Amino acid sequence: MPEDSIGREGGDPSGDIVDQLLLDWRRERPDLDASAMAVVGRVLHLGHLLESEVSKSLHAVGLSYTELDVLATLRRSGAPYRLSPTTLLQSVLLTSGAMTACLNRLEARGLIERSHGTSDRRSLSAELTAKGVRLIDGAIALRFEQAKQSVSGLSENECAELAGLLRKLRLQL
């Protein structure tokens, strides 16, 4: 039986993996308040599912999620699509070493160029090439469409409410 199947004894066949987790903990440790896991467990599980779907679709255009993140950050910065490594690091979830490796890969593929900044000759700014702009424009359109499909089961009002609640939770953390 699949790991996330709810069809176990006492499980709700219309529930999800988190419902089963909550039932199991109520049975095994009724002294614990597991109610927060109804949110946290689902957020974590959804994050994993969404990231997996994104990775599959990006593979088709030859990008990793990290590469998409860096290219998209450069693209949304506006022309000339150039940022310092420090500014890039503040906008993506990468360590300094991972950023350098990602920039090296993108440069080797001709998607970015690096040049010395005008204010600090020690720093190499990253700038999208024309090839990089074309690739990210196509990839980000694909990504936005995929995001739209991911929430297609929710109404416009439900999406707005969920976005607000998730923003509130994120700001709290």
Side-chain angles (χ1 to χ4, degrees):
M1 188 169 283
E3 177 185 324
D4 60 346
S5 174
I6 295 299
R8 300 193 320 208
E9 283 183 43
D12 178 357
S14 65
D16 66 4
I17 188 172
V18 178
D19 289 327
Q20 187 63 53
L21 174 147
L22 295 171
L23 283 171
D24 291 347
W25 282 119
R26 271 196 294 271
R27 182 189 68 242
E28 295 299 318
R29 291 287 311 269
D31 58 307
L32 295 176
D33 177 7
S35 60
M37 288 303 292
V39 174
V40 174
R42 284 186 176 94
V43 168
L44 290 170
H45 193 233
L46 283 169
H48 175 73
L49 292 172
L50 292 169
E51 188 173 335
S52 177
E53 286 301 310
V54 170
S55 293
K56 285 180 203 171
S57 68
L58 290 177
H59 184 73
V61 294
L63 289 174
S64 69
Y65 188 80
T66 301
E67 292 166 338
L68 174 88
D69 198 12
V70 169
L71 294 174
T73 299
L74 288 167
R75 179 63 174 93
R76 67 185 166 82
S77 74
Y81 315 120
R82 180 186 316 122
L83 293 172
S84 70
T86 302
T87 303
L88 271 171
L89 270 173
Q90 293 168 349
S91 300
V92 297
L93 298 173
L94 292 175
T95 64
S96 175
M99 174 64 76
T100 299
C102 181
L103 292 174
N104 287 342
R105 287 191 310 273
L106 294 172
E107 186 174 36
R109 293 175 55 197
L111 301 173
I112 67 163
E113 292 176 342
R114 288 192 276 188
S115 60
H116 289 286
T118 55
S119 61
D120 183 357
R121 300 288 298 159
R122 295 169 297 163
S123 174
L124 286 175
S125 292
E127 181 176 343
L128 285 176
T129 62
K131 180 181 177 182
V133 171
R134 284 190 304 276
L135 179 62
I136 190 57
D137 281 352
I140 207 65
L142 175 68
R143 178 69 193 101
F144 277 47
E145 182 57 34
Q146 185 179 37
K148 184 178 177 180
Q149 291 300 317
S150 294
V151 297
S152 64
L154 302 175
S155 71
E156 192 174 317
N157 287 341
E158 288 170 328
C159 280
E161 183 178 0
L162 180 57
L165 291 170
L166 290 171
R167 180 185 305 107
K168 183 177 179 179
L169 180 60
R170 170 62 183 96
L171 290 173
Q172 171 201 318
L173 297 174

